[in-house]
Amino acid sequence: VQLQASGGGLVQAGGSLRLSCVTSGSTFSNYVMGWFRQAPGKEREFVAAISWMSVQLSYADSVKGRFTISRDDAKNTLYLQMNSLKPDDTAVYFCAAEPSRGLPVATLSAEYTYWGQGTQVTVSS
């Protein structure tokens, strides 16, 4: 499966962005999907994940209440709506996919096989 992330950019603190991840090459609805991010000099960290049929959503504590993950299986697309952005949210954001193996939804980067190329999000103070 191929993943293409987009939607990043430069935004002021308190602003919003919506990231998209279009997939191709396999049946999107059969995959658990996740968003991860990596800031300069830091390890890649979990942001959010969504299960098959959106049965379960999972968020990192740092983004709960501000970010919303969703999927549109008809469009083979994963989304991440990011509100109330903070400078600490600055990072390259990656989407990831893994064939669904049931619940709980995967939250570790090592659990995902397929990765997009990343999109830069920069939040200015």
Side-chain angles (χ1 to χ4, degrees):
V1 60
Q2 292 78 45
L3 297 85
Q4 180 74 37
S6 63
L10 173 63
V11 63
Q12 289 187 333
S16 298
L17 283 174
R18 188 175 81 155
L19 305 184
S20 299
C21 177
V22 179
T23 69
S24 61
S26 190
T27 304
F28 177 72
S29 61
N30 292 341
Y31 286 75
V32 61
M33 302 295 297
W35 287 102
F36 291 77
R37 67 187 182 186
Q38 188 166 17
K42 295 187 177 181
E43 293 187 353
R44 189 170 298 187
E45 66 174 3
F46 169 73
V47 175
I50 186 166
S51 71
W52 175 76
M53 292 291 287
S54 304
V55 171
Q56 182 184 17
L57 311 181
S58 182
Y59 296 95
D61 288 343
S62 59
V63 307
K64 278 181 183 176
R66 300 188 298 121
F67 291 11
T68 302
I69 189 171
S70 62
R71 63 190 298 162
D72 186 335
D73 290 348
K75 295 182 178 180
N76 294 342
T77 302
L78 173 73
Y79 301 101
L80 185 68
Q81 177 66 44
M82 305 186 295
N83 299 329
S84 302
L85 283 161
K86 305 174 182 180
D88 284 349
D89 295 318
T90 296
V92 177
Y93 283 70
F94 299 89
C95 55
E98 178 66 19
S100 179
R101 298 189 180 92
L103 300 178
V105 69
T107 61
L108 300 176
S109 60
E111 297 180 280
Y112 288 84
T113 301
Y114 304 99
W115 292 83
Q117 85 290 357
T119 184
Q120 176 70 47
V121 172
T122 303
V123 184
S124 63
S125 57

